[in-house]
């Protein structure tokens, strides 16, 4: 850590070397002893890692041979462009920025800055997701460069992932949360038309995502001056753009709205019904009227004589109450109902496993308690089960509280 911290590189000019150092440190964090414990700070490294570190450490001095121009543009440049390249591997992802200046037919391309990050150990993301993280990093680098330079320049973003380009050309609502959030950041902070595809062999950000040794960086033209075709006229650049990226990434798509059509209709009806009223009395009377109407319709179909209807009776209200309880139990206790119907007892994982639950003739779960032998009606001895979080339980509590405490 001490030696790595001595590499003072705020612009990321030797970013690929920093990537190697970051990956080595990440490797040390994940090392385990034979007993399965993490390595202590003063514990000697395993032999193979000790050799790797000493090799890296010996070559660090060669960084001093690299020369970086202080002025990256051409004097009196007539055209200035900023090019941001991003790439990712299984271990890391990064972004680098190049300034392309042109004057009287002379073109100069120089590295401005770069930034890299190692892939998290705790989350095993796909390469496509890491490529998207690299694209977000390009957006972050773009904002910093824009604030620092404050020059008028055309901006281009390059990635070798057609999947990322496919994600960017669609609305965020189409993708799952991880992709949608990052696509939203890119769409809000950059012009999507400026995102283009670069062949992997000419992507300088590849050095950031994989890392290169200190001995290789000084003679790495792709890193210092970017893709070779940047020195050519615009017509000679890669022409694969956002509109022609046809990659389809079904795994990252949200579930289609059509799937809502197969949802449980009973569940939807119950949720709407219990949310209609804030008064249990109104809810019960409404259901009672509906049940009375349904009985009348069935009677007409059977050619039965209809009795004149004037007002609700107590039996109507009682039937409505039982119907509401039955519907509430089907919402949250459907497994218990099925188990009781099949075997006469609930499963070991049920919250009712310690209670003496049974199904009554109306298909409602009731509990057998200490009043089982009392000379009382069954509906008094055996109480109906309702979950405390269910809206019907709240409506009943409020109703009886107001009734008993006027």
């Amino acid at each position: 850590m001490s030696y790595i911290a001595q590499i003072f590189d705020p612009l990321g000019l030797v970013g690929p070397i920093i990537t190697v150092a970051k990956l080595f440190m990440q490797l040390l964090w994940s090392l385990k002893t034979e007993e399965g414990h993490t390595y202590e700070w003063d514990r000697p490294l395993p032999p193979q890692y000790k050799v790797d570190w000493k090799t890296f450490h010996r070559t660090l001095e060669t960084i001093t041979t690299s020369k970086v121009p202080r002025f990256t543009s051409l004097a009196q440049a007539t055209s200035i462009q900023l090019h941001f390249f991003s790439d990712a591997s299984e271990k890391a992802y990064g972004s680098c920025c190049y300034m392309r200046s042109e004057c009287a037919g002379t073109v100069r391309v120089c590295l401005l800055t770069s930034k890299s990050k190692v892939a998290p150990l705790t989350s095993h993301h796909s390469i496509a997701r890491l490529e998207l993280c690299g694209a977000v990093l390009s957006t972050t680098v773009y904002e910093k460069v824009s604030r620092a330079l404050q020059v008028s320049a055309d901006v281009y973003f390059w990635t070798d992932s057609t999947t990322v380009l496919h994600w960017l050309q669609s609305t965020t609502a189409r993708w799952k949360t991880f992709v949608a959030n990052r696509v939203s950041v890119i769409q809000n902070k950059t012009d999507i038309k400026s995102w283009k595809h670069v062949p992997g062999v000419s992507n300088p950000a590849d050095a950031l995502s994989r890392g290169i040794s200190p001995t290789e960086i000084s003679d790495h033209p792709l890193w210092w001056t970017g893709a070779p075709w940047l020195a050519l006229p615009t017509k000679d650049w890669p022409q694969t753009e956002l509109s022609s990226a046809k990659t389809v990434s079904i795994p990252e798509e949200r579930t289609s709205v059509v799937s809502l059509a197969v949802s449980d209709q009973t569940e939807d009806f119950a949720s709407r019904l219990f949310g209609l009223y804030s008064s249990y009395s109104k809810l019960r009377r409404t259901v009672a009227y509906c049940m009375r109407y349904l009985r009348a319709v069935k009677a007409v179909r059977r050619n039965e004589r209809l009795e004149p209807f004037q007002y609700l009776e107590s039996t109507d209200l009682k039937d409505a109450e039982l119907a509401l309880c039955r519907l509430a139990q089907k919402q949250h206790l459907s497994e218990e109902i099925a188990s009781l119907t099949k075997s006469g007892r609930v499963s070991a994982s049920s919250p009712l496993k310690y209670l003496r639950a049974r199904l009554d003739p109306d298909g409602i779960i009731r509990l057998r308690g200490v009043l089982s032998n009392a000379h009382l009606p069954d509906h008094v001895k055996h109480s109906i089960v309702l979950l405390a979080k269910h809206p019907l339980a709240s409506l009943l509590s409020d109703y009886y509280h107001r009734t008993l405490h006027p």
Side-chain angles (χ1 to χ4, degrees), residues 43-233:
R43 186 185 182 97
L45 289 176
Q48 67 273 24
Y49 299 123
K50 185 180 295 185
V51 173
D52 293 341
W53 168 252
K54 287 185 176 181
T55 302
F56 177 76
H57 178 253
R58 282 196 305 267
T59 58
L60 274 178
E61 293 183 358
T62 59
I63 298 178
T64 58
T65 62
S66 300
K67 296 182 179 180
V68 183
R70 289 181 177 270
F71 186 61
T72 57
S73 177
L74 289 172
Q76 299 179 345
T78 58
S79 172
I80 295 179
Q81 297 173 348
L82 295 176
H83 293 263
F84 297 85
F85 293 83
S86 62
D87 190 37
S89 67
E90 294 180 351
K91 297 181 179 180
Y93 58 92
S95 171
C96 49
C97 173
Y98 295 84
M99 175 179 282
R100 182 186 187 274
S101 55
E102 186 175 356
C103 180
T106 302
V107 178
R108 185 182 188 185
V109 182
C110 286
L111 174 68
L112 269 183
T113 183
S114 75
K115 188 174 181 60
S116 65
K117 292 186 177 183
V118 294
L121 292 174
T122 54
S123 302
H124 300 286
H125 294 303
S126 64
I127 295 295
R129 282 191 170 195
L130 293 175
E131 292 275 10
L132 181 60
C133 291
V136 174
L137 201 57
S138 280
T139 303
T140 303
V141 174
Y142 160 67
E143 289 185 306
K144 292 183 178 180
V145 170
S146 299
R147 289 195 300 265
L149 295 184
Q150 296 183 353
V151 296
S152 176
D154 296 329
V155 180
Y156 297 86
F157 296 91
W158 301 89
T159 175
D160 56 16
S161 173
T162 54
T163 301
V164 170
L165 295 178
H166 177 69
W167 285 338
L168 293 180
Q169 71 180 348
S170 302
T171 61
T172 57
R174 181 179 177 182
W175 312 117
K176 293 181 181 179
T177 304
F178 184 95
V179 173
N181 289 344
R182 286 154 182 80
V183 167
S184 176
V185 171
I186 296 173
Q187 290 178 343
N188 290 334
K189 296 183 179 180
T190 66
D191 182 2
I192 299 302
K193 294 181 180 179
S194 62
W195 284 87
K196 303 178 182 298
H197 181 263
V198 56
V201 294
S202 59
N203 188 355
D206 180 75
L208 277 175
S209 63
R210 303 181 187 279
I212 57 178
S213 68
T215 57
E216 298 174 330
I217 195 168
S218 59
D219 299 322
H220 202 289
L222 187 62
W223 173 248
W224 294 112
T225 58
W229 42 262
L230 283 177
L232 303 176

Side-chain angles (χ1 to χ4, degrees), residues 322-334:
L322 294 178
L324 288 171
C325 291
R326 184 164 47 246
L327 193 59
Q329 289 184 351
K330 285 184 177 180
Q331 271 192 291
H332 298 291
L333 296 173
S334 56

